[in-house]
Amino acid sequence: MTSKGPEDEHPSVTLFRQYLRIRTVQPKPDYGTNPALSSILLNSHTDVVPVFKEHWSHDPFEAFKDSEGYIYGRGTQDMKCVSIQYLEAVRRLKVEGHSFPRTIHMTFVPDEEIGGHHGMELFVQRPEFRALRAGFALDEGLANPTDAYTVFYSERSVWWVRVTSTGRPGHGSRFIEDTAAEKLHKVVSSILAFREKERQRLQSNPHLKEGDVTSVNLTKLEGGVAYNVVPASMSAGFDFRVAPDVDLKAFEKQLHAWCQTAGEGVTLEFVQKWMKPQVTSIDDSDPWWSAFSRVFKDMNLTLEAEIFPATTDSRYLRAVGVPALGFSPMNHTPVLLHDHDERLHEAVFLRGIDIYTQLLSALASVPALPSDS
Ligand SMILES: CSCC[C@H](NC=O)C(=O)O
Ligand SMILES: [Zn+2]
Ligand SMILES: [Zn+2]
C-alpha cells in the first residue's frame, strides 16, 4: 500500500505520523527542548469586546470574507488572529521537524478586555505559571497602516479615577453658594487643561508617539435628581493612561491637589490603578531583543518600537519579571480593534504566520543566559 497524500488522509493519522517522525530514541531521546533553559511564552487572550451590530457591514461573528480577501469579525485584530498564528507557526515548525533548545508554551487567557483581574493577574501568581519557567513572552500589539510593523516594549499605566464633589443643595432657581457642580467643574477644567497640554506636547514633537505622553478623557458624569433640585453630590469619571516615565507618586499628589484647589468636599477614588510600569529592553545588547529584531532585518521588514498606548496582559508578565514584547503582525492594516467593521486581510494574516515561524525559531534558540541559572 502506498501512503496517501495529506489531502485525503484523516487529520488524526497525519498527526500520528508527525509524532512518529520525532526521534525520541533512547538513550538520547530528542524531546526537542532543553528544560534547563527558561521557556518562551506565547500569550493571547480569548475574550473580545462587545459589538454594535447595526454599524457593521457584515455579521461580526460570521467571519465573512469579501471578494478581496478581507475577513470581517470581532477579534480579527484583537486578538484571535494572533492565537491562530501562534498555533499555525508551531504546527509548521513541528511538521518541518524543527526542535529548539527552549520550550515554547502557549497560553490562552480570559478576561483581558476587562482588566485581566480574574485572568492573567491571578495566573502569574500561581505555581502552574511558575512551573512554565517563562524567560520571555510575546503578547498582543496593534496594527500599523504603513509598510512597517510595530512592536511594543512597555505600556502606559491605566488609572480610572472617580472624582466626587459634594456641596450645598437647594432650589434650582436660586444662586446657591458652594455647589457640588461648581467644584466639580473646577476639577474637570484642571484635568482637561492638563489633557490639552499633553495633547499639544504630542502634536508639536514629531519624535513623540501616543504612548510617550499621558492621556486622559472625561468618560463619565453622574449626579442630579431633578432639573429644579441642586444636587448635594456629583461625580466625574476619568480614564488616565499614564506614560511610563511619569513619577506616579507625584502624579497622584497632583490629582489630589486639583481636588483640594476646587474646594471643600471634593474627593477622589481609584477604580483602576496600575502602579508597576515596566520597560522591556530594546537595547541591541539584550539577547531577546537582538533575536527578535534580527528576524525583521533578515526578512527585510521595517519594525517600529513604541509604548503601548492602552493596557494589555503584558503588564502582569513584566511585573513578575518576564520581559514581554507586544506584537501583532499586521502591517498595511488600519487600527480597528474595538471598532466597527474590525477586519484583517487574509494575506496579512498568512504573512504573520511566516513572521512568527521565524520569530519562534530565533527566540527558542537564544543560547543560555545568566538569568537561566
Ligand atoms: C483596566 S484594564 C482595561 C483593559 C483594556 N485593554 C484593552 O483594551 C484597556 O482599556 O486598555
Ligand atoms: Zn487585546
Ligand atoms: Zn482589546
Side-chain angles (χ1 to χ4, degrees):
M1 267 189 42
T2 55
S3 52
K4 286 181 186 172
E7 59 287 343
D8 49 10
E9 185 171 77
H10 192 288
S12 305
V13 175
T14 307
L15 186 64
F16 173 45
R17 291 175 64 203
Q18 284 166 15
Y19 188 33
L20 290 172
R21 291 186 191 112
I22 302 173
R23 293 166 189 265
T24 54
V25 187
Q26 293 291 8
K28 280 184 82 179
D30 180 6
Y31 291 143
T33 59
N34 177 356
L37 301 182
S38 64
S39 66
I40 307 299
L41 179 65
L42 307 178
N43 183 58
S44 60
H45 64 81
T46 57
D47 57 326
V48 294
V49 291
V51 292
F52 299 92
K53 205 167 174 250
E54 63 278 18
H55 293 287
W56 283 67
S57 312
H58 306 282
D59 180 337
F61 297 102
E62 192 194 310
F64 177 83
K65 186 168 79 173
D66 72 12
S67 56
E68 288 177 58
Y70 286 99
I71 302 163
Y72 287 71
R74 180 55 90 222
T76 46
Q77 293 195 13
D78 182 16
M79 63 175 298
K80 289 183 171 175
C81 51
V82 170
S83 308
I84 299 300
Q85 285 164 326
Y86 288 158
L87 286 165
E88 288 300 292
V90 168
R91 185 206 300 280
R92 191 181 296 177
L93 291 167
K94 277 176 163 288
V95 167
E96 289 173 5
H98 295 280
S99 67
F100 305 105
R102 293 180 190 272
T103 303
I104 297 171
H105 292 296
M106 282 181 266
T107 44
F108 300 85
V109 300
D111 287 2
E112 187 279 339
E113 297 292 3
I114 51 170
H117 306 299
H118 294 107
M120 191 57 101
E121 184 172 17
L122 288 184
F123 183 51
V124 295
Q125 300 303 336
R126 300 281 311 163
E128 292 85 349
F129 175 79
R130 280 191 284 278
L132 299 179
R133 301 191 56 246
F136 177 81
L138 289 180
D139 196 359
E140 67 188 306
L142 295 176
N144 188 322
T146 75
D147 186 46
Y149 292 87
T150 322
V151 60
F152 297 90
Y153 58 95
S154 185
E155 58 187 48
R156 302 194 289 191
S157 298
V158 57
W159 283 16
W160 291 349
V161 179
R162 184 167 192 256
V163 176
T164 303
S165 174
T166 55
R168 287 172 57 184
H171 196 283
S173 65
R174 305 188 61 213
F175 285 114
I176 314 258
E177 296 285 328
D178 192 40
T179 63
E182 287 169 290
K183 290 184 283 187
L184 190 64
H185 175 234
K186 282 188 190 159
V187 179
V188 169
S189 295
S190 304
I191 292 176
L192 293 188
F194 167 78
R195 178 186 193 273
E196 183 55 17
K197 216 177 72 196
E198 288 295 280
R199 201 182 67 82
Q200 297 275 357
R201 193 160 73 87
L202 173 64
Q203 214 174 33
S204 61
N205 185 344
H207 298 298
L208 291 182
K209 301 279 185 195
E210 210 179 353
D212 295 313
V213 302
T214 297
S215 71
V216 56
N217 279 293
L218 171 58
T219 48
K220 282 189 165 214
L221 277 175
E222 291 163 321
V225 284
Y227 280 99
N228 61 353
V229 175
V230 175
S233 170
M234 295 191 105
S235 75
F238 299 92
D239 182 353
F240 283 91
R241 305 297 170 125
V242 190
D245 62 350
V246 170
D247 176 342
L248 294 182
K249 282 273 161 243
F251 192 63
E252 187 176 349
K253 271 198 185 133
Q254 175 66 80
L255 293 186
H256 282 289
W258 282 328
C259 290
Q260 239 162 20
T261 313
E264 288 264 306
V266 184
T267 54
L268 69 81
E269 65 195 299
F270 286 94
V271 180
Q272 296 279 342
K273 189 186 189 196
W274 183 252
M275 292 297 279
K276 291 183 265 185
Q278 296 288 335
V279 174
T280 293
S281 174
I282 51 163
D283 195 282
D284 285 337
S285 65
D286 183 87
W288 301 114
W289 174 252
S290 161
F292 186 93
S293 53
R294 160 73 38 211
V295 166
F296 288 82
K297 284 182 200 120
D298 290 349
M299 293 180 83
N300 210 12
L301 304 172
T302 310
L303 185 63
E304 294 169 350
E306 290 185 23
I307 293 162
F308 198 83
T311 301
T312 73
D313 278 338
S314 303
R315 71 189 187 281
Y316 299 120
L317 294 165
R318 294 190 186 110
V320 294
V322 180
L325 292 175
F327 175 65
S328 300
M330 296 182 282
N331 67 344
H332 296 296
T333 304
V335 179
L336 289 171
L337 81 169
H338 297 204
D339 205 343
H340 312 315
D341 277 349
E342 182 180 351
R343 61 189 178 274
L344 182 61
H345 197 280
E346 62 180 339
V348 176
F349 169 77
L350 290 171
R351 185 69 175 136
I353 300 171
D354 300 339
I355 297 173
Y356 276 123
T357 306
Q358 300 302 314
L359 278 176
L360 301 189
S361 307
L363 292 167
S365 303
V366 167
L369 302 169
S371 53
D372 286 322
S373 50

